[in-house]
Amino acid sequence: MRLNRILGLSLGVVFAVVLSGCVAQYRNHGYVPSEEALAQVVVGVDTKDTVSDVIGVPGTEGILDSSGWYYVRSQFRHMGAFEPKEVDRQVVAISFDSRGTVSNIERFGLEQGRVVVLSRRVTVANTKGTTFIKQLFGNLGQISADQLLQ
């Protein structure tokens, strides 16, 4: 009787350990400022220095001309021995004009594997940009024959 009790208790402990390995664990990587912190950044007024004081330095900067700061946070779900899966991603992009003043604040998310704009605050001048189609077809008539022959 005592052996059955020990065996049952051992089996229960093993079963609990096996089940606990199947519980999802979530891990966050990176940093994205909260909406409250972003509300303190004023488009057209704040500069890189004031933004770094309010919400911190970014994880990534624009490569070519440092015109943008990017804050990225990813959340991964770990389930037992399975490969971790990204379940959420948020990107906050803060753009700066040539003077270093904030011109754009955008928040992007990940929905069903697609990047989705969650919120956007822009200056009026920046909304008058050309579309992708205009950029694509805008150069068609600007090539001359002598340029093609050279």
Side-chain angles (χ1 to χ4, degrees), residues 7-124:
L7 186 60
L9 186 60
S10 312
L11 235 62
V13 168
V14 168
F15 187 68
V17 168
V18 169
L19 279 180
S20 69
C22 296
V23 173
Q25 296 181 0
Y26 294 90
R27 298 224 167 97
N28 294 320
H29 299 274
Y31 163 72
V32 169
S34 66
E35 285 295 328
E36 294 82 23
L38 284 176
Q40 296 177 17
V41 178
V42 180
V43 175
V45 175
D46 282 316
T47 63
K48 289 182 180 183
D49 292 333
T50 58
V51 170
S52 67
D53 289 342
V54 172
I55 59 176
V57 293
T60 308
E61 267 189 67
I63 295 174
L64 295 177
D65 56 1
S66 296
S67 63
W69 284 6
Y70 304 97
Y71 299 85
V72 182
R73 182 189 64 82
S74 295
Q75 185 178 51
F76 291 90
R77 182 180 65 214
H78 298 263
M79 292 269 302
F82 296 107
E83 181 179 347
K85 181 180 179 186
E86 186 176 27
V87 293
D88 184 35
R89 181 186 316 149
Q90 287 192 12
V91 176
V92 171
I94 300 178
S95 302
F96 299 95
D97 61 15
S98 59
R99 298 176 320 217
T101 305
V102 175
S103 62
N104 234 353
I105 300 175
E106 297 176 289
R107 182 183 293 267
F108 299 96
L110 190 65
E111 184 175 312
Q112 298 176 352
R114 295 184 178 144
V115 176
V116 178
V117 176
L118 299 177
S119 67
R120 177 177 286 156
R121 293 187 340 208
V122 297
T123 58
V124 177

